[in-house]
Structure formats: C-alpha cells, structure tokens
C-alpha cells in the first residue's frame, strides 16, 4: 500500500513553512513527529523539521544516519537529485502552476488565442474523421490522426514559447 | 656669511617673486572673480546656516528685531522691477459709461455708473472666518500618478461607455486625469480623458518614447461645453443645451496625428493589436485579487 517510507536518506519536498518548495534529505529521526533534516544543495540548514510539512519523494540517498553535511552533499550530487527532481512530473506541475500565476493580462490573451487555434485544428480533424466514418460506413481512417497530432504539436510549441 | 647672503638673496627673491605673484594675481583674480561672478549669477548663492540658534524646539535665541539686525535685512530691500506693461496699466478703471436710451424727448443717452452701490445691507454683519491653513483650491492640489502608470502603458478602462476596453496611456493632464487613446481604429476609443482611480494598469507597455503629443490637448480642450443662454421660455430650455455631441474636425485631425505615430509602434509588437481590440472580462474562477495584470 505504501511505497515511500521515511528512512535515512529519503529526499523530501517541503510543502509549507519558511522553506516551502525546497528539497531536503532525512538524516535522522528525532521522535515520532520530527526528523533531523539537511538540504545542502537546496539551501536548507541542518535542522529539525516536523514530518507534517514534508512530502516524501521517490528519491533515496545512501548515507549513514547522522552523517554530516558534507556526506549528505556528496551523496546528493552523486545521485544528481536536483536534475532528477526537475525532470519529474511533480516538479514540472509546480513550475507550470507558478508560470500560470505569473501570467500577465497580455500573456493570458496570447494563451487564449493559441488555445483557440489549437482547438480549432483538433475540431477540424475530428469533423473530418466523423465525416469519413459516416460516409464510408465502417472504415476508420488512421493516417489522418497523425496529421492532427503534428498540427497540434506546432500549436503547443507556440503556446510554450509564449509562456 | 654665505648663509646671510643666501638669506638676503632669498628675501629680495621672495619679494620679487611675491610682487610678481601679486602682479599676476590681479589679472588672474579679476578673471577668477569674473568667473565666479558669472558662475554666481547662474548658481544660486550659498545660503548661510540659520543665524538663530535653537534653544528648544520652536524657540530661538534671538527675537524678531534682533534677527532683522543680524540678517542685515535693512540692507536687503528688494522690489521687483516695474515693467513697461505695468507702467501702462496704471490707468484707472472706468467708473461710468454712457449708454444710449430710447424714447422720444429723452435726451438720447444716460451716464450710468459701472460699479453701483449695494442695494441691500444685512442687519448683522457676517462674522470673520477663522484662518485655516492647508486648504487649497483644486487647481493647486498635488497631482499624483501611480508608479505602475507610465507613458505607453496599456490600461483597462473600468467605467464609462468604454468599460472593459484596453487602451494606451499617453500622458497625465493638468487636472490629474489621464490622456488616453484607443487608438481609434483599433477599439473605437478616441483621444479621451480617463480617471486614474477607475483604471487598471497592466504591465504591458508600448514604447512611446518619440511620440509627439500636440500641446493644445489640455483639459480645456476636452472639457464638456454647456450652453447657458435660456431666455426662460420653459418649453425650450432643454432644447438649447447640446444633446448631440458632434465630432469637430480638429478632433479628427488630432486623433489622426497621434494615432498614426502610435499605430506604427503597436504593429511592431506581435499580437498587441488583437490584444487592444479585445475587451477585459471576468469569468468563473477568475478573481481580480489573484490576477497579475
């Protein structure tokens, strides 16, 4: 049922508090509610932190309990946690949310136009397929779907560039 | 002896050198003083520190008369030079005027006083109002402008017939209202005044650095005109006031002059034209306090 456990070396994401949004590694467990935590590569000093504000990630580092910061840093850099984290969907969602919140009025307009264009293309292709299927009875045309996918990719790129 | 000689030599040498120096100094001084004088004319004279030491807050060491003497104000009496125009203006204003009078055997004209005596004196005089300070008339108020509004900013109008429209800000006028233009071809907003408080400033800016706005576009130009000559014929009072607003030719030419400059700059930014054409609206889940403009 549970896949991520609190263990020495577990990398956790801090969800609220003064260090919200940063990654830390669990170095030791103090008691039922707190852990000794250290984030040398993310700017978090070695400190006690309650489990409640930590959300466990998939990454585990290898170092002995109560290892000093240098060891934690070495393990962190060896595993390249920062890059791996940036590649996860979790981090990307966070980034997308931040970008959306920072959008100015002009950006919102540009996104609206891009979305409109994209949806129009998709609808156009859908209608085509529907027409085909209604006309020819039972012959679904699959090569047309790839065209639609290409066109929509172009629009997505435009959207991302504008963001 | 050698020492004395040397000393002796030094003195005449020094004196000669001194004389030379003084000789040289004079023309140099003159030049320096001329320069200073010239500079002083351009520079404001350095003000002396307060000649009235403070004993406690609000209390100076010297009285008014003592300060008068200390500041040598007896020497410093200035009057503004009287210009020729002011000299001419010393003519007294006319006291009476002769007006023609109709009717037969009436003499043709009467001499009428221009400033007449009051026709009514109230029984109680109006009491003298106490002095107030800091109550300035509107024309002297301080005009402020939000830091987010700079020339070229795209604003969203919130009130008026153009509510929701996105518009380019040009400059702040003398009364503090903002001069704003659509441009007209983009969203049908002409050169118009908008109130700062009823406007959202977006962070989108158009570069209006070289645009020249005609100087006659002031508040008086935009002010609404009201005709006020009803001859008290009750049926017709409402007709004489302007109901229909007519666009004058001058407004059209001014609009063209300003818009042509701005449109060129708008075309440079991709999608800005479409942005200015669109209107702002809120929909479900959109909260103004959470939006970044």
């Amino acid at each position: 049922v549970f896949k991520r456990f609190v263990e020495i070396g577990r990398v956790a994401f801090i969800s609220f508090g003064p260090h919200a949004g940063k990654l830390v590694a669990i170095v030791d467990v103090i008691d039922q509610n707190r852990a000794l935590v250290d984030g040398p590569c993310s700017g978090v000093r070695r400190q006690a932190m309650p489990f409640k504000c930590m959300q466990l990630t998939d990454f585990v580092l290898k170092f002995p309990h109560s290892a000093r910061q240098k060891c934690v840093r070495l393990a962190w850099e060896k595993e390249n946690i920062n890059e791996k984290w940036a590649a996860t969907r979790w981090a990307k969602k966070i980034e997308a949310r931040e970008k959306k919140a920072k959008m100015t009025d002009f950006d919102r307009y540009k996104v609206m136009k891009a979305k409109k264009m994209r949806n129009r293309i998709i609808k156009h292709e859908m209608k085509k397929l529907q027409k085909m299927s209604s006309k020819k009875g039972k012959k679904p045309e699959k090569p047309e779907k790839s065209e639609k996918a290409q066109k929509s990719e172009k629009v997505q790129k435009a959207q991302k560039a504008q963001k | 002896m050698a020492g004395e000689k040397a000393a002796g030599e030094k003195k005449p040498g020094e004196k000669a050198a001194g004389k030379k120096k003084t000789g040289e100094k004079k023309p140099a001084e003159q030049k320096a003083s001329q320069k200073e004088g010239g500079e002083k004319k351009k520079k404001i004279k350095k003000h002396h520190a307060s000649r009235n030491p403070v004993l406690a807050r609000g209390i100076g060491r010297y009285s008014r008369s003592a300060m008068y003497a200390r500041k040598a104000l007896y020497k410093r009496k200035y009057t503004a030079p009287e210009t020729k125009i002011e000299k001419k203006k010393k003519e007294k204003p006319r006291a009476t005027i002769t007006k023609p009078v109709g009717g037969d055997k009436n003499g043709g004209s009467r001499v009428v006083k221009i400033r007449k005596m009051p026709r009514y004196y109230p029984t109680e005089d109006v009491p003298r109002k106490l002095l107030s300070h800091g109550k300035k008339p509107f024309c002297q108020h301080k005009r402020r402008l939000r830091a987010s509004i700079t020339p070229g900013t795209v604003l969203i109008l919130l009130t008026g017939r153009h509510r929701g429209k996105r518009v380019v800000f040009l400059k702040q006028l003398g009364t503090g209202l903002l001069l704003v233009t659509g441009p007209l071809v983009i969203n049908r907003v002409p050169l118009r005044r908008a109130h700062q408080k009823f406007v959202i400033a977006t962070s989108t800016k158009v570069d209006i650095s070289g645009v020249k706005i005609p100087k006659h576009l002031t508040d008086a130009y935009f002010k609404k005109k009201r005709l006020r000559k009803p001859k008290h014929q009750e049926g017709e009072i409402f007709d004489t006031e302007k109901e229909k607003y007519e666009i004058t030719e001058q407004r059209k030419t001014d609009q063209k002059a300003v818009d042509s400059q701005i449109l060129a700059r708008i075309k440079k930014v991709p999608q800005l034209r479409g942005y200015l054409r669109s209107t702002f609206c809120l929909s479900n889940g959109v909260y103004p306090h959470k939006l970044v403009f």
Side-chain angles (χ1 to χ4, degrees):
Chain A
V1 181
F2 292 106
K3 291 177 196 153
R4 299 172 184 160
F5 299 97
V6 168
E7 48 193 321
I8 311 291
R10 173 67 66 179
V11 173
F13 172 79
I14 304 176
S15 53
F16 61 84
H19 298 286
K22 297 185 187 160
L23 290 179
V24 271
I26 296 175
V27 172
D28 206 350
V29 169
I30 299 171
D31 63 9
Q32 201 205 1
N33 305 318
R34 293 178 300 152
L36 178 61
V37 119
D38 197 355
C41 302
S42 54
V44 182
R45 284 203 187 164
R46 184 169 257 241
Q47 59 191 263
M49 194 172 280
F51 286 117
K52 277 194 176 171
C53 68
M54 287 191 267
Q55 293 175 352
L56 305 178
T57 65
D58 286 327
F59 306 119
V60 186
L61 300 172
K62 261 221 142 185
F63 51 76
H65 78 107
S66 313
R68 58 198 246 263
Q69 190 173 62
K70 186 176 173 182
C71 301
V72 176
R73 187 194 291 274
L74 279 174
W76 192 293
E77 282 170 358
K78 186 175 172 195
E79 292 285 320
N80 227 342
I81 297 291
N82 284 336
E83 282 185 18
K84 284 188 186 171
W85 168 251
T88 59
R89 283 181 177 267
W90 188 345
K92 286 182 192 166
K93 275 190 266 174
I94 294 170
E95 207 200 313
R97 217 180 298 143
E98 280 175 16
K99 277 194 181 169
K100 195 175 181 189
K102 274 195 210 165
M103 268 204 289
T104 73
D105 199 42
F106 193 22
D107 294 337
R108 257 173 265 132
Y109 169 79
K110 289 190 240 180
V111 167
M112 182 264 283
K113 283 287 175 185
K115 269 192 187 173
K116 211 174 174 186
M117 187 162 61
R118 176 173 180 255
N119 290 334
R120 216 168 258 181
I121 294 168
I122 293 171
K123 231 186 236 178
H124 183 62
E125 295 298 323
M126 267 296 290
K127 295 284 179 185
K128 266 204 231 169
L129 290 174
Q130 280 174 351
K131 246 194 182 178
M132 293 291 172
S133 63
S134 66
K135 269 189 184 176
K136 292 183 180 178
K138 293 168 190 176
K139 280 191 184 177
E141 305 249 348
K142 284 196 181 175
E144 303 233 19
K145 274 189 188 175
S146 61
E147 256 187 64
K148 167 190 75 171
Q150 278 172 17
K151 280 188 189 173
S152 60
E153 271 174 28
K154 281 185 195 172
V155 179
Q156 274 172 16
K157 282 183 190 173
Q159 269 182 333
K160 280 187 184 176
Q162 279 153 10
K163 274 187 188 175
Chain B
M1 274 183 68
E4 282 176 4
K5 273 192 184 174
E9 278 172 6
K10 267 190 188 177
K11 282 180 191 173
E14 274 181 29
K15 277 188 186 172
K19 277 186 188 172
K20 278 186 190 172
K21 277 185 190 173
T22 48
E24 284 170 2
K25 258 190 189 175
K26 281 180 187 173
E29 260 182 16
Q30 279 177 0
K31 282 185 192 173
S33 63
Q34 272 176 9
K35 275 188 195 171
E36 277 174 22
E39 280 174 15
K40 273 185 186 174
K41 280 180 190 173
K42 289 179 191 175
K43 269 191 198 172
I44 305 166
K45 279 189 184 176
K46 242 193 168 184
H47 291 290
H48 195 282
S50 168
R51 294 176 214 262
N52 195 358
V54 173
L55 297 175
R57 188 160 66 125
I59 302 173
R61 168 72 185 80
Y62 299 103
S63 68
R64 257 186 211 273
S65 45
M67 282 311 295
Y68 186 89
R70 295 188 105 224
K71 290 202 267 187
L73 292 175
Y74 54 84
K75 281 201 243 177
R76 293 202 245 166
K77 292 184 182 168
Y78 307 110
T79 50
E82 209 186 83
T83 59
K84 285 186 184 176
I85 305 168
E86 285 182 69
K87 281 183 190 168
K88 276 190 183 176
K89 271 195 175 176
K90 276 189 176 172
E91 287 178 28
K92 256 187 163 183
R94 291 227 54 179
T96 61
I97 197 170
T98 41
K99 281 193 167 176
V101 160
D104 209 15
K105 290 192 197 173
N106 242 341
S109 64
R110 297 276 181 273
V111 177
V112 172
K113 272 194 186 177
I114 291 177
R115 299 200 70 190
K116 301 181 183 123
M117 300 299 293
R119 61 186 144 86
Y120 171 71
Y121 288 98
T123 37
E124 281 180 42
D125 283 324
V126 178
R128 196 87 195 264
K129 280 191 182 171
L130 293 167
L131 284 172
S132 65
H133 92 281
K135 308 284 184 282
K136 291 186 184 170
F138 180 70
C139 56
Q140 290 176 25
H141 283 176
K142 245 191 191 179
R143 318 289 176 195
R144 287 172 226 268
L145 188 61
R146 297 209 291 256
S148 52
I149 302 179
T150 61
T153 315
V154 173
L155 307 173
I156 300 175
L157 301 175
L158 295 173
T159 56
R161 56 175 63 216
H162 298 288
R163 61 193 84 101
K165 291 203 182 165
R166 297 185 174 102
V167 128
V168 176
F169 168 68
L170 298 175
K171 66 185 264 208
Q172 187 179 35
L173 300 172
T175 52
L177 296 169
L178 312 177
L179 178 60
V180 129
T181 179
L184 190 66
V185 283
I186 295 183
N187 51 20
R188 290 302 287 171
V189 177
L191 280 167
R192 207 171 199 268
R193 296 188 291 176
H195 191 111
Q196 211 190 128
K197 279 265 170 188
F198 303 110
V199 134
I200 296 179
T202 63
S203 49
T204 321
K205 314 235 183 234
V206 184
D207 185 21
I208 291 199
S209 40
V211 166
K212 287 175 195 170
I213 301 163
K215 287 202 174 171
H216 58 264
L217 297 175
T218 61
D219 282 293
Y221 177 89
F222 289 106
K223 192 156 174 66
K224 284 190 188 153
K225 279 105 191 166
R226 300 269 155 102
L227 292 175
R228 284 266 155 180
K229 271 194 177 181
K231 290 200 170 176
H232 288 290
Q233 292 166 8
E234 286 187 3
E236 295 178 16
I237 292 178
F238 301 108
D239 292 343
T240 51
E241 293 189 30
K242 260 191 209 170
E243 281 180 18
K244 260 224 149 187
Y245 165 70
E246 277 138 13
I247 309 167
T248 61
E249 284 302 317
Q250 198 200 16
R251 289 237 183 186
K252 289 188 192 174
T253 51
D254 290 331
Q255 186 74 48
K256 264 196 197 174
V258 175
D259 278 359
S260 54
Q261 298 175 58
I262 296 177
L263 275 171
R265 284 151 220 262
I266 288 176
K267 278 191 183 171
K268 286 184 192 170
V269 182
Q271 298 195 304
L272 188 60
R273 196 162 189 272
Y275 176 59
L276 290 174
R277 287 189 70 201
S278 63
T279 47
F280 174 77
C281 60
L282 296 171
S283 61
N284 265 355
V286 176
Y287 306 109
H289 70 289
K290 287 211 158 180
L291 287 181
V292 169
F293 283 102

